[in-house]
Amino acid sequence: FFIRVMVRALALVFHLAFQTTVVLSFVHLSPGRLTTRRISSGNIWSPGQVALAATVEEVETSAPLTPVPGKSMLKARAVGVGAATPTQIISNADIAAMGLDTSDEWIASRTGISNRKVLDTSPFGLRTLASQAAAEALEHAGVDASEVDLVIVATSTPDDLFGDATSVAHSIGATNAVAFDLTAACSGFLFGLVTGSQFLETGAYKTAVVVGADALSRWVDWDDRNVCILFGDGAGSVVLQSSPASDDSSSVSSSVSSGSMGGSGLLGFALHSNGGDYAKLCLPYKPLKRALEGGKHEVSVGQYEQVTMEGKDVYTFATRKVPEVLKEALANAGMQDASEVDWLLLHQANIRIMETVAKRLGMPMEKVLTNLSEHGNTSAGSIPIALNEAVKSGKVKKGDIIAALGLGLGFRGVRASSSGDNAAPKMKKKKRPLI
């Protein structure tokens, strides 16, 4: 999540080495973008090239861009993908039956969503989904869990506020791995990818598992039709492995154009953040006062508000900034423009955003990969879940270039009263434009 607020953007390009046809696309909170060129067949994939770009609040792109030193040619290949989603399905008709002023047609026409898969109250939680996705990715890659050196779980809604990564690593049998959580809302998976790739680039680790997982259904107001209709739960994962350096890493452009990327891995990335206007899209802390020693001391009892969003502002930011950051990501990947792209894979937030972005990039909707209709917005799980489906369905073919853009904008903040009391000011409920 984010928009002009703790907006994170990221772009990357990397080689894929899946055992089945795969194309990777990743995005960051603010509109993220990525292009992928994958060359593979049979059991072993030759490195695919992926360029990913994420958007930021302000990125100047008027002048021609060139690759930035240190942001190109990272030795990290994606070798396997996996995903897991809940079995409980809430349809648009179900939401309409809850008494909200909405209908299946109203929701579908404005969002592109028909169903969303949501966790129930059973012990089967987010950690379970994350573990299943990671295990499936390892199986797809043909990698034993004992070979994993690093596990990163990108989530803003963990089962344990202290983090789920260590539990996920234990669950999949990655007993030799170090594990930690990363919080960046909808852009979390992409931040995790770049972070994991950096560890592989330095040579510190050889194999990493990156998971994007969220359960925002726990944090939405189910009486607010503008928000509850958007989100679903789920987890997706990618296995990264270090790849040998290219024989000629002196020229990113020449390597891409000649298709001789060798084992260089991640071709390029760009990261940006802007922490203003966090309240446009946030899930704020809600402090409750508790007096100690008869009022001598006061402490805050922790809990959180529900997701609040200014849909119109999110839409405007996403559709305006994606093309700008894409240029930066493509430049770091040694690419010129979107004409090199075969498929567009966006963060699965809203069909209207996808249509507008595709139009501005000059790409027909037939070339946009989407699973939004059946999953809704799964936040950090969005890109890897869609990637998993695109790869395993065979829709993306050998040699295709995929541009993945993250539309997630994440705002974070703590609400505090300036009036002197310790209670958070009550958030005014109003009808907000639906993105």
Side-chain angles (χ1 to χ4, degrees):
F1 298 75
F2 278 11
I3 107 171
R4 306 187 97 216
V5 182
M6 282 221 74
V7 177
R8 300 193 180 111
L10 136 143
L12 28 119
V13 180
F14 60 89
H15 288 249
L16 303 182
F18 297 115
Q19 293 179 346
T20 52
T21 304
V22 174
V23 173
L24 264 197
S25 46
F26 306 98
V27 241
H28 175 265
L29 341 138
S30 40
R33 168 74 181 260
L34 137 154
T35 55
T36 302
R37 177 173 300 158
R38 175 187 70 267
I39 302 175
S40 73
S41 62
N43 292 329
I44 304 297
W45 286 41
S46 53
Q49 301 164 1
V50 181
L52 164 65
T55 356
V56 237
E57 162 59 14
E58 294 296 338
V59 176
E60 296 298 331
T61 58
S62 56
L65 298 175
T66 56
V68 176
K71 295 183 178 181
S72 301
M73 308 293 284
L74 271 65
K75 301 186 292 290
R77 301 177 303 154
V79 298
V81 291
T85 54
T87 57
Q88 178 176 230
I89 298 175
I90 297 181
S91 68
N92 291 348
D94 292 331
I95 292 178
M98 290 162 47
L100 299 182
D101 181 18
T102 190
S103 66
D104 178 28
E105 188 279 331
W106 189 91
I107 298 172
S109 64
R110 288 165 174 75
T111 69
I113 300 170
S114 296
N115 299 298
R116 66 282 299 146
K117 299 178 180 179
V118 175
L119 286 169
D120 56 25
T121 58
S122 70
F124 180 88
L126 192 69
R127 275 185 296 192
T128 304
L129 293 179
S131 298
Q132 289 178 345
E136 183 177 301
L138 286 172
E139 181 179 2
H140 183 235
V143 173
D144 190 270
S146 63
E147 300 176 45
V148 178
D149 304 302
L150 172 67
V151 174
I152 299 175
V153 175
T155 182
S156 299
T157 56
D159 284 350
D160 184 344
L161 192 59
F162 288 168
D164 288 343
T166 53
S167 296
V168 171
H170 174 76
S171 177
I172 64 176
T175 56
N176 298 316
V178 62
F180 61 86
D181 288 60
L182 184 155
T183 300
C186 293
S187 57
F189 177 69
L190 292 182
F191 274 92
L193 268 179
V194 172
T195 300
S197 296
Q198 295 284 2
F199 278 102
L200 301 188
E201 169 68 16
T202 64
Y205 301 127
K206 294 182 178 180
T207 302
V209 173
V210 180
V211 180
D214 267 313
L216 282 173
S217 67
R218 298 169 171 175
W219 299 102
V220 300
D221 180 354
W222 286 96
D223 293 320
D224 183 348
R225 71 168 186 173
N226 286 333
V227 176
C228 72
I229 63 174
L230 299 174
F231 297 101
D233 305 331
S237 179
V238 166
V239 177
L240 299 176
Q241 286 194 323
S242 58
S243 57
S246 173
D247 293 335
D248 179 12
S249 60
S250 61
S251 174
V252 176
S253 299
S254 62
S255 295
V256 173
S257 62
S258 65
S260 60
M261 293 308 295
S264 59
L266 183 66
L267 304 185
F269 70 89
L271 300 171
H272 298 277
S273 294
N274 185 319
D277 296 341
Y278 80 86
K280 300 292 184 181
L281 177 54
C282 61
L283 203 175
Y285 176 64
K286 179 182 180 180
L288 293 180
K289 180 176 68 176
R290 178 178 175 179
L292 303 179
E293 286 193 71
K296 181 179 179 180
H297 303 287
E298 290 182 350
V299 295
S300 172
V301 178
Q303 64 179 32
Y304 288 84
E305 298 274 3
Q306 295 169 318
V307 174
T308 182
M309 176 181 66
E310 296 294 341
K312 184 177 180 180
D313 290 335
V314 174
Y315 173 87
T316 300
F317 175 83
T319 55
R320 287 180 52 209
K321 295 302 179 181
V322 165
E324 297 180 12
V325 181
L326 171 61
K327 292 180 181 179
E328 183 179 358
L330 290 176
N332 286 336
M335 298 180 183
Q336 298 301 312
D337 54 45
S339 64
E340 299 184 56
V341 171
D342 297 305
W343 297 97
L344 189 62
L345 176 54
L346 298 157
H347 166 53
Q348 307 293 296
N350 182 291
I351 195 63
R352 288 183 171 179
I353 291 177
M354 295 183 187
E355 291 171 344
T356 302
V357 170
K359 182 177 181 179
R360 291 183 178 178
L361 292 174
M363 296 188 70
M365 281 303 291
E366 293 72 29
K367 290 193 174 184
V368 177
L369 299 173
T370 176
N371 63 0
L372 177 66
S373 176
E374 296 305 312
H375 294 277
N377 180 352
T378 54
S379 190
S382 168
I383 292 296
I385 292 173
L387 173 63
N388 177 71
E389 293 184 2
V391 169
K392 293 179 179 176
S393 68
K395 186 170 187 178
V396 175
K397 305 300 181 183
K398 174 181 177 180
D400 287 354
I401 296 176
I402 297 181
L405 300 81
L407 304 175
L409 309 167
F411 307 82
R412 300 188 194 77
V414 177
R415 283 185 173 270
S417 172
S418 59
S419 62
D421 61 17
N422 290 322
K426 189 172 183 179
M427 300 177 71
K428 183 179 180 180
K429 267 195 176 181
K430 60 180 180 179
K431 286 199 171 183
R432 295 180 290 278
L434 183 70
I435 60 172

